[in-house]
Amino acid sequence: MEKQKYEAAIEAILFTMGDSVEISKLAAALEITQEDVRRLAHDMMERYEKDDRGIQLMELEDSLQLCTKAELYEYLIRIAKQPKRQVLTDVLLETLSIIAYKQPITKLEIEKIRGVSCDHAVNKLVEYRLVCELGRLDAPGRPLLFGTTEEFLRSFGVTSMDELPVLDQDQLAEFKQQAEEEMQMKLDV
């Protein structure tokens, strides 16, 4: 393997791993000596510095790591402070709808309606601050109760829960029938 390919492999490994990687492991993966890895790494370090790149290669005891140059941290902080765009998948929207219309509600009640576990969905909705814990149900195990937040109202452009669309009872009956048919098909399989 030529020098450029070794360097590309080292860069790919360090980028993918994110943390430091022991030189001995890099040498074993590339099937070269540790001294060869060090020599390649030092050439890469010089090139990163000379090309005025945003990353640097650091040697930490007997490991190597790709890092952002310290003088560029302010740009990372600006990006990190920007609000993240939250994507609501169908599963999250379905879970959020159940919580919005049935609140306060426990995870068990959500799972009864959806027919599947809702831990991940509820945790994501809490992380996005669309749902919060409202307290505990006075029942065995004292399960948590969940409800929507002010962020939910802002995100969906409503000022109160009264502004949510009213469910058409005929359509609700049709949805219930479809859900029961799906459950029956799953049981038949």
Side-chain angles (χ1 to χ4, degrees):
M1 196 186 287
E2 60 189 72
K3 179 181 175 186
Q4 286 179 327
K5 288 190 178 184
Y6 282 124
E7 288 180 354
I10 290 170
E11 188 176 58
I13 291 167
L14 295 176
F15 176 78
T16 302
M17 298 308 291
D19 291 324
S20 63
V21 177
E22 294 172 17
I23 291 173
S24 60
K25 289 183 179 180
L26 288 167
L30 299 173
E31 299 176 333
I32 59 176
T33 68
Q34 291 183 38
E35 190 52 45
D36 287 338
V37 171
R38 279 191 174 83
R39 194 174 12 265
L40 289 164
H42 287 279
D43 289 348
M44 292 169 69
M45 287 176 196
E46 288 176 21
R47 198 166 45 260
Y48 284 141
E49 194 59 42
K50 185 176 76 175
D51 292 345
D52 199 26
R53 307 273 297 271
I55 57 174
Q56 63 184 351
L57 182 58
M58 295 183 65
E59 188 170 355
L60 310 164
E61 292 184 0
D62 289 327
S63 299
L64 296 173
Q65 184 171 4
L66 273 179
C67 305
T68 304
K69 288 186 177 174
E71 61 266 22
L72 301 173
Y73 284 171
E74 70 179 274
Y75 301 107
L76 296 175
I77 291 168
R78 289 180 196 166
I79 288 293
K81 284 184 176 179
Q82 291 179 5
K84 293 180 180 156
R85 186 172 164 260
Q86 300 160 348
V87 177
L88 294 179
T89 63
D90 289 345
V91 170
L92 292 179
L93 280 172
E94 182 179 308
T95 305
L96 183 57
S97 297
I98 292 168
I99 294 169
Y101 282 99
K102 298 284 190 177
Q103 63 185 309
I105 188 170
T106 65
K107 283 184 183 179
L108 183 61
E109 291 169 317
I110 298 167
E111 289 171 355
K112 274 185 179 176
I113 294 168
R114 289 199 61 235
V116 294
S117 174
C118 69
D119 283 337
H120 175 74
V122 171
N123 291 341
K124 270 294 184 201
L125 293 170
V126 168
E127 179 184 323
Y128 291 165
R129 294 191 314 267
L130 297 172
V131 168
C132 67
E133 297 174 4
L134 298 178
R136 293 191 173 271
L137 184 64
D138 191 18
R142 303 208 13 99
L144 288 169
L145 290 166
F146 293 92
T148 57
T149 63
E150 286 182 2
E151 184 64 29
F152 166 82
L153 297 174
R154 272 190 295 279
S155 296
F156 287 89
V158 294
T159 57
S160 77
M161 297 306 292
D162 297 334
E163 292 182 25
L164 289 179
V166 178
L167 297 174
D168 178 4
Q169 292 304 312
D170 293 334
Q171 194 174 25
L172 192 59
E174 183 181 326
F175 289 155
K176 186 175 180 180
Q177 181 182 354
Q178 288 174 354
E180 288 171 355
E181 288 171 5
E182 283 181 29
M183 289 301 294
Q184 188 57 46
M185 286 180 8
K186 287 179 183 179
L187 293 174
D188 292 341
V189 173

